[in-house]
Amino acid sequence: MSAVTQDHLPGLETVRRIVAPATGTPRAGTIQERFEQFHGANPWVLTELERLTAECIEARFATISLGMLFELVRYSYGRATLGSDGDFRLNNDFRSRYARLLIELHPEWAPRIEVRALRTD
């Protein structure tokens, strides 16, 4: 029996471009550069992350995951962030940057915020 393929489904090519962009396509800067651009255009994200972190501290969470906070922001705010294309973008690549920024602004939170080593700039 031959394998069934779905190579001709409508929209499949678009999905392939999103999931696996063409090789040689230049990225729009390093993660840090993209984070700085995003943060400059969306200062409300940091304000909301600070508020949520403070609530978690008050509730005596032992550790606070930026992954959890990102999902709360996504759930609570269908609010558009200003990505380069104008679409909603709260890129998971920025979690580590926001974790470090929160610790920089609130050093007393450092023992509670999960931080891993950066793999890339």
Side-chain angles (χ1 to χ4, degrees), residues 14-89:
T14 302
V15 171
R16 284 184 176 142
R17 280 194 304 270
I18 293 168
V19 173
T23 56
T25 303
R27 294 201 74 166
T30 65
I31 293 173
Q32 185 63 35
E33 290 167 343
R34 289 183 287 133
F35 167 73
E36 289 170 6
Q37 181 180 19
F38 175 86
H39 178 57
N42 300 283
W44 69 270
V45 172
L46 176 62
T47 302
E48 184 60 13
L49 291 172
E50 284 179 297
R51 185 186 71 73
L52 290 169
T53 302
E55 284 183 11
C56 290
I57 299 279
E58 275 185 42
R60 299 181 185 205
F61 281 42
T63 58
I64 300 165
S65 161
L66 264 287
M68 175 192 67
L69 298 182
F70 263 47
E71 296 308 326
L72 286 170
V73 170
R74 286 179 177 133
Y75 176 78
S76 300
Y77 294 87
R79 184 174 176 179
T81 57
L82 302 175
S84 60
D85 57 4
D87 288 340
F88 181 80
R89 296 283 186 263

Side-chain angles (χ1 to χ4, degrees), residues 35 39 46 96-106:
F35 167 73
H39 178 57
L46 176 62
S96 62
R97 278 28 185 212
Y98 276 114
R100 284 164 176 74
L101 188 52
L102 287 169
I103 290 169
E104 181 182 323
L105 297 171
H106 305 276

